[in-house]
Amino acid sequence: MFFREYASEILLRMGEHLILVAIAMTIATAIGIPLGILITRQPKIAQPILGFANIVQTIPSLAIFGFLISVPFLGGIGVTPAIVALTLYALLPLIRNTYIGINGVDPAIREAGRGMGMTDNELLFQVEIPLALGVILAGVRVATVISVGIATIAAAIGAGGLGAFIFRGIASVNNQLILAGAIPAALIALAADFSLGWLEKQLTQHRKREEKFGRQIAVASGILIVMVLGLIVFANRPIPPTIAIGGKNFTEQFILGEILAQHIESRTKLKVDRRFNLGGTFIAHEALKAGKIDGYVEYTGTALTAILKQEPIKDPEVVYQKVKQEYDKKFNLEVMKSLGFNSTYAMLIRGEDARRLKIKTLSEAAKYTPQWQAGFWYEFLERKDGYEGLIKTYGFKFTKPPKQMELGLMYQALKEKQVDFVAANATDGLIPVLDLVILEDDKKYFPPYYAIPVFHQATLQKYPELRETINQLAGLISTKEMQKMNYQVDNQSRPVEEVAREWLKSKKL
């Protein structure tokens, strides 16, 4: 059942994953092997080059992806920064193994070659590289397997690939989705390792047969050239006018992004490039400002406090108008009409604790906080409407620092009693299923968080029909409907596309 529903998307994500790895490995091989050869000829620069490659390997992969978002030309979100990051990670084994393999050739063999009158280039291509080929190909194998694994993280910056399943599975606590990303990625890595291992064995086993060696090299080079040409043709194929719709890294954002995408595709001649699962508010906002995406759904309170860095305001209309004016003035972004529901923060505890302690509000919970372990997602700890303001407003006194984790993991951590108090969204479908209780914000600390599509003004000018199309969705999604859709994805494991399509049909859209 699960495979039938997700088969086409699994194949699509596998294709995206393979393209990312193939392009990155082609570039890394074209850079790494010549660099490895160069430092065998210029030993003085060997340590700086190997040192740089080593430093790149020690940087956490997610940090590299995050850093590249703000880098001009090669950065931002999508495929380009993902390929840059994967290329950087693949360099060390390629450079090091080429360097070690060539330097490991017996000096007596080199001397014999020179004695026969060989030039340095002849010695390199006819003696050293054939003898070092096994070690060089071992480096290619290692680099490929590393790239396949790290490519799963590329989904965090909208580059697609099998990581999209893994992040969605984490967000919805759905092991099937996680495995739908992890198993194909593991199979790709194993297949790549086996294939390159076989090629390494064939080439090294017969290296003394010059004719066969040359033929195999020619075949391998031909396959590589065909792959690169195929990727270039695929990247430059004619496509209809396309806009990119983004989304943050949790279920509700996947659904809202898909509703926007399907509605735009059904009412206009535009195709939509779905760039969901962006790492969070700031990544999505920066991607929109930079024109890497054309629009996404934000929340009024988030825009006011996290993006505009202003103090929370309680009046929903005042918040909306302020955000609309500031986005227009500061960012050249247009805030569209609200979709209708308020996705406010929900401070959650276990149902059994709420009943045992007889607490319903955050004020009543304050006296129990010294015994509780809090758990919050990273963004909540940094925002003006987040952790610091919350503990001041209610006088919370947590004796332990809060645990930091992904939003999707908090529900499971709360259920399994690893944490006792978390921040989530009131529309999340997992709340009733896991018997969690929302504590009332009785001091009205949190501002309103109405869902608002935000689009780049340049896109709306280029495609004027978009504005009317998007505003057709204004006010149509209720809080209960949003919670129901989240529930269908998170708990019934229904595909996001199907849930979005069903809701649009229910509204005759």
Side-chain angles (χ1 to χ4, degrees), residues 433-464:
V433 174
L434 298 179
D435 186 29
L436 306 178
V437 169
I438 300 174
L439 296 176
E440 181 190 345
D441 179 18
D442 50 308
K443 293 186 179 180
K444 308 298 180 189
Y445 165 68
F446 293 114
Y449 297 92
Y450 283 90
I452 46 169
V454 182
F455 274 73
H456 211 289
Q457 289 181 352
T459 301
L460 297 175
Q461 289 168 5
K462 186 176 181 181
Y463 306 111

Side-chain angles (χ1 to χ4, degrees), residues 217-248:
I217 286 290
V219 170
S221 301
I223 292 172
L224 189 61
I225 290 168
V226 169
M227 283 179 61
V228 173
L229 289 174
L231 291 171
I232 292 170
V233 170
F234 178 79
N236 291 282
R237 71 196 187 283
I239 55 174
T242 303
I243 65 167
I245 299 295
K248 303 182 201 178

